[in-house]
Amino acid sequence: DAKTTQPNSMESNEEEPVHLPCNHSTISGTDYIHWYRQLPSQGPEYVIHGLTSNVNNRMASLAIAEDRKSSTLILHRATLRDAAVYYCILDRVPYGQNFVFGPGTRLSVLP
Amino acid sequence: EAGVTQFPSHSVIEKGQTVTLRCDPISGHDNLYWYRRVMGKEIKFLLHFVKESKQDESGMPNNRFLAERTGGTYSTLKVQPAELEDSGVYFCASSRGSNTEAFFGQGTRLTVV
C-alpha cells in the first residue's frame, strides 16, 4: 500500500494561513494526491487533489513538490469550521478510491 | 444534488444477530465503496463496486460480511452473525471514477452488545 506520513496534530489561529505537510516518498508516477478532511461525527469530505502541478480551489490550495515525494495543503485563512482531521491519501489510478487512510493530522483552530 | 445517504444512522444489536446497512450513492456514480472505522483504529477500506460488480473486496474482514449492489444502484452490507468487534462506524462513498472526488455518507454507527 502506498503510505503517507503526516504530523499527528497542528494548531492554528483563526484567520491565519495553515500549511499541512504530507510525505509520500513511495509515490508512483500514476498516483494522484488527494486530501480529505473529517469533521466531528461526519464522513470524510473531499478537499482537493492533484497529480504534478499545484492546484487551487475554493477550499484550499495544494502545493506538490517537484519530485512528488511531498505535498502541502494550504488553508489560506483558517476558520473555526476548519477544525478537523485532515487526511493525505494516494489515489492509485486506475484502481479507484480504495483509499488507505492513515491517522491524519488533527487541526485545531484557536479563536 | 443529493449526497450519499446511509441507513440507519445508528444501530444497536446483540451479538449473534444480523444487521443490514444500506447506502444510496449519488445518482450516476458507478463506483461505490464501503469503509469502516472500528474503535480506536483508522478508517479501513472494505470493498469497491463498479456498477453491480465487485471490483475489489480485499478489505472484507471475513465471510460474515456480505455486500451487494443489485442493479448497480443502492448497496447493502450485511453482517451475519454480528460479533462485538464489528462495532464501529461504517461509511459508504461514491464517485464517477478514479481521479475524481469521492463523496462520503455520514456513516452508520453500529454497536454490537
Side-chain angles (χ1 to χ4, degrees), chain B:
Chain B
E1 175 177 80
V4 175
T5 309
Q6 293 187 244
F7 304 98
S9 57
H10 293 85
S11 179
V12 181
I13 62 170
E14 292 185 351
K15 176 184 172 185
Q17 289 187 323
T18 298
V19 63
T20 300
L21 313 181
R22 172 170 168 146
C23 170
D24 285 70
I26 293 172
S27 177
H29 283 191
D30 287 341
N31 293 271
L32 187 149
Y33 304 83
W34 284 98
Y35 289 83
R36 73 171 181 176
R37 182 203 296 271
V38 295
M39 184 66 70
K41 301 287 183 64
E42 293 155 16
I43 299 172
K44 294 290 188 187
F45 165 81
L46 296 179
L47 90 159
H48 169 204
F49 283 101
V50 177
K51 296 184 181 179
E52 67 275 11
S53 300
K54 291 177 185 175
Q55 182 76 11
D56 180 353
E57 52 184 328
S58 61
M60 295 288 264
N62 53 60
N63 59 10
R64 295 186 295 103
F65 289 75
L66 175 64
E68 295 180 324
R69 191 182 183 196
T70 307
T73 55
Y74 71 91
S75 174
T76 57
L77 179 64
K78 180 190 290 187
V79 185
Q80 179 181 29
E83 299 290 344
L84 299 178
E85 64 264 24
D86 301 331
S87 295
V89 182
Y90 289 75
F91 294 105
C92 175
S94 73
S95 74
R96 293 191 183 279
S98 57
N99 183 32
T100 62
E101 61 182 290
F103 295 83
F104 284 77
Q106 300 281 53
T108 293
R109 180 173 295 278
L110 174 64
T111 303
V112 183
V113 298

Side-chain angles (χ1 to χ4, degrees), chain A residues 41-85:
Chain A
S41 301
Q42 296 190 24
E45 174 188 34
Y46 170 82
V47 178
I48 200 166
H49 77 285
L51 181 63
T52 56
S53 303
N54 296 342
V55 184
N56 299 294
N57 66 20
R58 63 176 179 81
M59 289 182 69
S61 295
L62 176 60
I64 302 173
E66 197 168 327
D67 64 5
R68 300 210 325 125
K69 293 184 185 299
S70 66
S71 61
T72 302
L73 177 70
I74 303 165
L75 306 179
H76 296 286
R77 289 183 67 206
T79 68
L80 297 178
R81 195 193 171 278
D82 292 322
V85 179

Side-chain angles (χ1 to χ4, degrees), chain A residues 5 8 10 17 19 25 37 40 45-46 50 52 54 59-60 67 71-72 78 81-82 88 97-98 109-110:
Chain A
T5 305
N8 289 335
M10 291 185 66
H19 290 230
S25 58
R37 71 181 185 182
E45 174 188 34
Y46 170 82
T52 56
N54 296 342
M59 289 182 69
D67 64 5
S71 61
T72 302
R81 195 193 171 278
D82 292 322
C88 169
Q97 285 106 340
N98 46 349
V109 179
L110 306 177

